[in-house]
Amino acid sequence: MGSATDRLLNRLTDLATFTAEDAHDDIGGPRSSTYTAIERLADVEIIRPLTDRKRNQVWGAADILDELDDLGARIERHARRQLGVDV
């Protein structure tokens, strides 16, 4: 079954944004293992916090969030070109 870190890493495409509770519900195991997995993935910047909260923090898969940001920027550039606005 693998470590909690491996299980969470393998689920990031389905859990692109999540709380620790969401992650625990999804991967199971001891709650402390879920928190350790989140900490490990955050330390290597695979996930990043999306809020400033300490409790009920929302996390996001960094690569997916980066792709969405890039897509949004491309859509905005395209829309501006269509409207004849300087890009």
Side-chain angles (χ1 to χ4, degrees), residues 3-81:
S3 71
T5 303
D6 289 337
R7 292 193 311 273
L8 182 54
L9 182 60
N10 288 329
R11 297 289 295 142
L12 286 180
T13 55
D14 294 322
L15 293 174
T17 61
F18 61 92
T19 64
E21 189 66 31
D22 296 333
H24 180 260
D25 290 346
D26 192 73
I27 66 173
R31 197 169 298 278
S32 61
S33 294
T34 300
Y35 287 111
T36 299
I38 289 169
E39 185 176 324
R40 286 178 178 165
L41 294 176
D43 285 347
V44 295
E45 300 178 353
I46 291 174
I47 62 174
R48 64 179 177 242
L50 300 179
T51 62
D52 293 330
R53 298 182 254 178
K54 293 295 181 191
R55 293 179 52 99
N56 300 317
Q57 177 64 263
V58 178
W59 298 93
D63 285 350
I64 293 171
L65 296 172
D66 291 345
E67 287 296 321
L68 290 172
D69 287 344
D70 183 58
L71 176 61
R74 289 188 321 228
I75 290 170
E76 181 180 0
R77 283 192 305 273
H78 178 76
R80 286 179 175 272
R81 278 194 299 271

